[in-house]
Amino acid sequence: MVRARHVVLGVGMYAAGVGIAVLLRPGMSTPSVGDESAVSAEERAKAFTTRAGEYDAHVARSERFLGIDSLRRRLVRHTHAATNVIEIAAGSGRNAAWYRSSTEEPHQLITWVDTSAEMLSLAQTQATNRGLHVNTKVADAEDLAPFPDDCFDVVLDTFGLCSVSDPQGVLREMKRICAPGGQILLLEHGRATCSPNGSDSWWPPRALLLVMNRVLDFGAQQHALKWGCWWNRDIHRAIKDANMQVKRYETHHIGTTHFVILEP
């Protein structure tokens, strides 16, 4: 007898196939890649601020299901031996759980910056609950003038390049404030690509990357209006153009999640 769950799975796969066919239909209108004029920076900033209170609840379950928590933990682990750490676009402090407490690392200085005071207020609560002594500062990641050159051992950003107006400018600032021999740690979502390291160049297949990018493009404007982020940005190209040494570059979730370790 055919089980109900098999019927549901079959119908779901059929619906997904129809949806993909519609998205890939010749002449189907999708936003132009790189054209972000439909949603202003002010509209995105407003969305980010007004949804601060519901952000964690919205993403927590999906991040656990997709293994994002594990990727965050792996990335933040690289801060444990550092003396002076800054996290750009720290948001609500979702990485707090993966830092070592101030009792374990009493000499470590941690700074979190974000454009949203509302988000930083949530982040400070997270830090306090985790036993972290963190300096928070409202600052624009595209202009980190309050911080001198070469002043941090580790510069960290998770899912921030999608939310700024000038990702290249942010990467330049991250490079500027990172000390020689330091590390720039990135976990980002964006256009699907194979791992530039080449270790898994056979996956995902090019056709699947095309489908994923069409899906991202199709929903990009609505997502930017709702959550203040452009999820279809070409993260790989932005990092390549930043002219930094790539120590590790992994992609996950059909090439749409980018796990990157750089040196300035």
Side-chain angles (χ1 to χ4, degrees), residues 56-69 94 253:
D56 279 338
H58 175 77
V59 303
R61 181 177 298 179
S62 63
E63 287 203 349
R64 284 195 299 270
F65 178 76
L66 293 171
I68 298 294
D69 281 353
R94 288 199 59 78
H253 308 120

Side-chain angles (χ1 to χ4, degrees), residues 10-230:
V11 171
M13 293 179 66
Y14 173 78
V18 171
I20 290 170
V22 170
L23 283 171
L24 296 179
R25 186 177 63 198
M28 183 66 185
S29 176
T30 57
S32 300
V33 178
D35 180 12
E36 299 178 357
S37 59
V39 183
S40 68
E42 291 75 18
E43 287 176 307
R44 290 188 295 106
K46 181 180 179 181
F48 198 58
T49 297
T50 57
R51 292 185 177 272
E54 62 183 280
Y55 177 76
D56 279 338
H58 175 77
V59 303
R61 181 177 298 179
S62 63
E63 287 203 349
R64 284 195 299 270
F65 178 76
L66 293 171
I68 298 294
D69 281 353
S70 176
L71 293 174
R72 287 182 184 273
R73 181 173 63 250
R74 283 182 54 208
L75 196 69
V76 176
R77 188 180 298 153
H78 290 273
T79 70
H80 291 177
T83 301
N84 203 358
V85 178
I86 185 170
E87 183 172 340
I88 307 299
S92 62
R94 288 199 59 78
N95 292 323
W98 315 124
Y99 284 88
R100 282 186 172 170
S101 71
S102 296
T103 302
E104 295 173 298
E105 293 287 350
H107 303 296
Q108 187 177 69
L109 300 176
I110 303 174
T111 302
W112 289 350
V113 301
D114 200 276
T115 56
S116 170
E118 290 80 4
M119 282 288 192
L120 282 180
S121 177
L122 297 173
Q124 186 62 67
T125 300
Q126 288 267 32
T128 301
N129 292 341
R130 297 287 180 176
L132 294 174
H133 297 158
V134 174
N135 298 315
T136 60
K137 185 176 184 62
V138 176
D140 189 341
E142 298 170 46
D143 182 12
L144 297 172
F147 306 107
D149 296 356
D150 306 334
C151 62
F152 293 100
D153 304 315
V154 173
V155 182
L156 169 69
D157 173 57
T158 58
F159 304 110
L161 292 181
C162 59
S163 303
V164 298
S165 296
D166 180 13
Q168 284 289 351
V170 172
L171 287 168
R172 285 193 298 270
E173 281 291 83
M174 294 175 80
K175 182 178 181 180
R176 179 184 67 79
I177 65 175
C178 188
Q183 291 185 317
I184 295 173
L185 311 175
L186 303 174
L187 182 61
E188 309 288 346
H189 57 197
R191 299 195 72 70
T193 184
C194 291
S195 170
N197 280 351
S199 58
D200 58 350
S201 59
W202 62 274
W203 176 263
R206 187 172 299 274
L208 188 53
L209 295 178
L210 173 63
V211 169
M212 286 302 303
N213 286 331
R214 289 296 296 270
V215 170
L216 291 175
D217 291 342
F218 187 77
Q221 182 175 324
Q222 182 179 2
H223 189 77
L225 277 170
K226 184 174 181 179
W227 293 106
C229 111
W230 289 104

